[in-house]
Amino acid sequence: ELKVEQNPLFLSMQEGKNYTIYCNYSTTSDRLYWYRQDPGKSLESLFVLLSNGAVKQEGRLMASLDTKARLSTLHITAAVHDLSATYFCAVDMEQGAQKLVFGQGTRLTINP
Amino acid sequence: NAGVMQNPRHLVRRRGQEARLRCSPMKGHSHVYWYRQLPEEGLKFMVYLQKENIIDESGMPKERFSAEFPKEGPSILRIQQVVRGDSAAYFCASSPQGTLSPLHFGNGTRLTVT
């Protein structure tokens, strides 16, 4: 059974600081997604990582994938308050089927 | 281009009643997925449908839950004889056929069973 684990689950940080969220998964997969969810809202797609060594950046967020280590990271640079949200990683259970297994989520709070 | 539309946004049902959740996928999308999110947890896959066809329902409870995606009209997730443990946010997502692009999620239906 595919398991996806994120850490930390809660993260409170000051504006301007850098931090990394980790996502480990238990079985082979070559497709990993990062989503953002604001309270009471839907999920917004941030990144799709499709191959080993993939790195994608958008603004202050950068995601990477190491399929050999079964690890993805989401790095936040010089955090700003607007990035406060819950971040989920998700892995495809079956290639191409979009049956996703989600991590528990990391609730990120950025304090001014 | 409207996104994935779900309704109602909030639904309150008493134990034993039926809940019907609707989802209209994005225009041009032929695949629909339903996920459930319990409080403080990630989403869990329930069912994957194409028009008039259930592709995979391995995540759906065997009893009381059913889903359909008819030729015309929205996809429906139906929960019969609801219990308190069914209280959750139910998200629908859609994607075009044969694509690597991420799922587009609706705003969800928050079901509360009293």
Side-chain angles (χ1 to χ4, degrees):
Chain A
E1 181 189 344
L2 175 57
K3 286 187 167 50
V4 180
E5 292 189 350
Q6 288 180 234
N7 76 84
L9 299 184
F10 298 93
L11 180 55
S12 182
M13 51 195 290
Q14 297 291 321
E15 276 192 328
K17 299 288 187 187
N18 303 334
Y19 211 81
T20 300
I21 299 170
Y22 297 88
C23 173
N24 288 92
Y25 53 99
S26 59
T27 62
T28 302
S29 177
D30 57 2
R31 192 176 311 176
L32 188 138
Y33 302 83
W34 283 97
Y35 286 90
R36 168 185 171 143
Q37 185 180 36
D38 292 297
K41 298 289 177 67
S42 185
L43 278 77
E44 174 194 351
S45 174
L46 295 174
F47 299 108
V48 183
L49 301 167
L50 297 175
S51 60
N52 188 39
V55 176
K56 290 200 175 175
Q57 182 161 6
E58 180 75 33
R60 300 173 190 274
L61 300 178
M62 184 172 72
S64 66
L65 178 62
D66 181 343
T67 57
K68 292 189 173 112
R70 296 178 189 163
L71 170 69
S72 179
T73 60
L74 181 66
H75 187 72
I76 302 144
T77 303
V80 293
H81 179 67
D82 286 352
L83 290 179
S84 296
T86 299
Y87 293 84
F88 291 96
C89 64
V91 176
D92 247 330
M93 275 191 270
E94 293 174 14
Q95 190 172 356
Q98 298 265 27
K99 284 171 57 178
L100 304 181
V101 177
F102 281 79
Q104 314 95 305
T106 297
R107 186 181 294 180
L108 175 63
T109 304
I110 297 167
N111 304 304
Chain B
N1 185 14
V4 178
M5 304 299 289
Q6 287 188 251
N7 69 83
R9 290 294 307 275
H10 300 274
L11 182 61
V12 180
R13 285 286 177 267
R14 284 200 287 271
R15 276 181 299 170
Q17 290 185 319
E18 179 180 288
R20 279 188 180 231
L21 288 61
R22 293 175 189 77
C23 168
S24 296
M26 281 184 71
K27 191 174 178 182
H29 286 193
S30 56
H31 297 201
V32 165
Y33 302 77
W34 286 93
Y35 283 81
R36 175 163 66 175
Q37 184 179 33
L38 295 170
E40 309 297 327
E41 292 187 14
L43 279 69
K44 290 195 171 16
F45 168 80
M46 298 181 74
V47 62
Y48 162 33
L49 310 104
Q50 294 177 19
K51 286 277 185 186
E52 299 184 283
N53 204 6
I54 297 175
I55 305 300
D56 188 327
E57 56 183 350
S58 58
M60 199 115 91
K62 296 284 185 284
E63 296 177 354
R64 302 187 298 107
F65 284 72
S66 62
E68 62 176 8
F69 189 14
K71 189 176 177 182
E72 302 289 338
S75 175
I76 307 280
L77 179 67
R78 183 177 173 215
I79 311 171
Q80 294 177 290
Q81 299 174 317
V82 295
V83 300
R84 287 230 172 95
D86 296 334
S87 296
Y90 292 82
F91 287 95
C92 171
S94 71
S95 72
Q97 188 166 2
T99 179
L100 295 178
S101 47
L103 296 177
H104 295 262
F105 282 86
N107 283 330
T109 293
R110 278 147 186 87
L111 172 66
T112 302
V113 179
T114 61

